[in-house]
Amino acid sequence: MDMPAREIPRPVQEAPPESPRVLVLGGAGFIGRHVVAALRERGIEVSIGSRHPRRRQQRDRAGGVRYRQVRMERMCDAEDWREPLAQVDAVVNCVGILRPRGRETYDRVHHRAPAALAAASAARGLRLVHVSALGLDGLVRSRFLLSKRDGEEALRASGADWHIVRPSLLDGEGGFGARWIRRVARWPLHLLPADACGRIAVLDVRDLGEAIARLVLASGGADLPREHDLGGLLPCTLAEHIAAMRRLHTDAPARVLHVPGWLARLASHACDLLHLTPFSYGHWELLRQDNCPRSNRLPELLGRPPRAVGAHRPPPAPFPAPGVHA
C-alpha cells in the first residue's frame, strides 16, 4: 500500500462550481465538522442537520452556516425528509451512534433512517454520500455492525445517486476514540486484547473530510465508483498504532500486557452496558480481522498521498543477497 512520492494520483475531477447547497447530517460531530470545513473552503453553501439546531446556532460564533432540526430516530419514512431536503442539492450523512439510547436504536439510526433518506434523495435527484465503516463483509454479529450493513444494502436498492464511504480507524482532534488512543499511548502500561491481530489503516480525519467534499462535487455520473474504501498508507496492528502515537511524545516504549480474548470480549460487553470508553463489542470483532481498504480510494480522491498518522518506525532494510555487497 506504500506509494512512492513521485506517483501522485490524479484527483477526482470536481464538477464546475454552480453554488450547490449541501446538507451535512451530523455536521457538528467529529467527521461532520471536517466535511463542513472542507466544503466551506470551496465556497459551498452548507447547512447542518443537528438534534439541537438552536443550541448549535447560538454557539456558532463564526456564523455563515444554517442549522436544521434532524432527529434520525424519528425520520424513518421518506416523507419525513421533505423539509430538511428542501432547497438542497446534495446531502452527506455522517450520523452514527456507538451505543443505543432510548429510541436511538441501531436499526433506526443506521438502517431505517438512511433508507428513508435515500428514497427521498432519489425522488429529488440529490447526490447522497453516506459514511459507513470497513469490515462489514466479514463474519460479524454485533448489532452495531449488522445495522451498518443493512443501511448500505438499503442505499444500493434506493435508485439514488448514492455513494458509500468506508473509512478505517480515524485520528484527529475531538474524536472520542482518537482521544482515548492518544491518552492510552501516554500510559506506561498498555492493556491490549491478545487476539487484536487484525491490521488497520489509520487515516487523519481532515483527509476524510476533504475526500468527502471532493466526492460531493465530483463529476462523472454513472462512471464514478459508488463505494469508496478509505485508509492511510501504513497498515498496522492496534498495538503498532498505539506505539506510533506514543513515539510522538517519548522514545521510551511502554510495557504491553496482552489480555486473553475471552476476557477482552467480556470487557467489551461491560463497556457497552455501562457506556464506558469507546471500546465496544463491535470494535472487538473488528480488531480480530484486517480492517484495511482492499482498494484504497483515498489517494485518488485527494490527488495526493494521505497525511501520516503517528511516528512509525521505518521498515528494516532487507538483507543483501548472497554475493552482493551493500
Side-chain angles (χ1 to χ4, degrees):
M1 294 179 63
D2 294 327
M3 178 179 297
R6 64 178 181 275
E7 295 183 10
I8 304 299
R10 297 179 60 185
V12 169
Q13 295 299 310
E14 296 182 7
E18 298 178 356
S19 300
R21 298 157 299 181
V22 181
L23 171 64
V24 181
L25 304 173
F30 179 45
I31 296 175
R33 290 197 308 271
H34 293 87
V35 175
V36 170
L39 287 168
R40 295 193 68 187
E41 286 177 0
R42 289 161 170 75
I44 305 302
E45 180 183 338
V46 179
S47 56
I48 292 176
S50 171
R51 290 170 50 85
H52 307 289
R54 292 184 180 178
R55 185 188 309 172
R56 294 290 184 183
Q57 196 78 61
Q58 292 173 351
R59 294 178 181 176
D60 186 8
R61 297 180 180 178
V65 175
R66 177 187 174 190
Y67 287 79
R68 304 186 182 197
Q69 176 81 50
V70 173
R71 300 290 295 268
M72 295 289 283
E73 75 277 11
R74 300 177 181 176
M75 306 180 73
C76 298
D77 187 274
E79 189 62 25
D80 297 329
W81 290 97
R82 176 186 293 273
E83 183 175 347
L85 297 185
Q87 300 180 342
V88 163
D89 301 304
V91 58
V92 180
N93 180 25
C94 302
V95 177
I97 57 172
L98 178 60
R99 297 179 175 106
R101 181 167 49 190
R103 293 189 64 189
E104 292 182 54
T105 65
Y106 291 134
D107 183 56
R108 284 179 172 269
V109 176
H110 294 164
H111 173 209
R112 294 173 58 189
L117 171 61
S121 298
R124 291 164 175 77
L126 309 181
R127 172 164 293 180
L128 168 61
V129 179
H130 175 77
V131 180
S132 186
L134 284 173
L136 304 184
D137 54 352
L139 181 60
V140 295
R141 289 174 290 183
S142 80
R143 290 178 297 158
F144 170 83
L145 297 175
L146 291 174
S147 64
K148 288 279 191 178
R149 181 188 293 174
D150 291 341
E152 288 193 3
E153 291 177 355
L155 258 69
R156 295 188 188 99
S158 67
D161 179 13
W162 58 267
H163 293 269
I164 295 172
V165 171
R166 303 188 194 94
S168 188
L169 186 68
L170 293 169
D171 177 68
E173 297 292 339
F176 185 36
R179 185 166 59 246
W180 264 93
I181 287 180
R182 291 182 178 196
R183 182 182 303 167
V184 168
R186 293 173 178 264
W187 295 350
L189 176 65
H190 295 166
L191 300 176
L192 299 174
D195 52 358
C197 55
R199 298 180 306 158
I200 50 181
V202 187
L203 66 153
D204 192 300
V205 69
R206 294 171 294 176
D207 285 346
L208 177 60
E210 182 180 340
I212 290 175
R214 286 182 173 273
L215 189 55
V216 169
L217 303 173
S219 60
D223 296 330
L224 188 65
R226 296 277 194 165
E227 305 190 24
H228 312 264
D229 290 357
L230 308 180
L233 298 182
L234 293 173
C236 61
T237 64
L238 177 64
E240 292 168 340
H241 171 52
I242 294 178
M245 298 303 292
R246 180 177 177 81
R247 281 192 290 271
L248 293 174
H249 309 285
T250 177
D251 290 328
R255 182 183 177 187
V256 178
L257 179 61
H258 293 288
V259 178
W262 64 268
L263 184 56
R265 178 177 178 176
L266 287 179
S268 73
H269 287 305
C271 289
D272 281 336
L273 180 64
L274 301 175
H275 288 216
L276 297 174
T277 82
F279 187 51
S280 68
Y281 177 57
H283 287 116
W284 176 77
E285 284 196 304
L286 290 177
L287 289 172
R288 301 172 71 221
Q289 60 188 21
D290 281 351
N291 196 27
C292 298
R294 293 179 179 176
S295 178
N296 192 359
R297 292 266 299 153
L298 185 58
E300 182 180 352
L301 286 171
L302 296 177
R304 59 171 173 79
R307 293 177 172 90
V309 176
H312 286 268
R313 297 189 185 279
F319 290 103
V324 176
H325 298 285

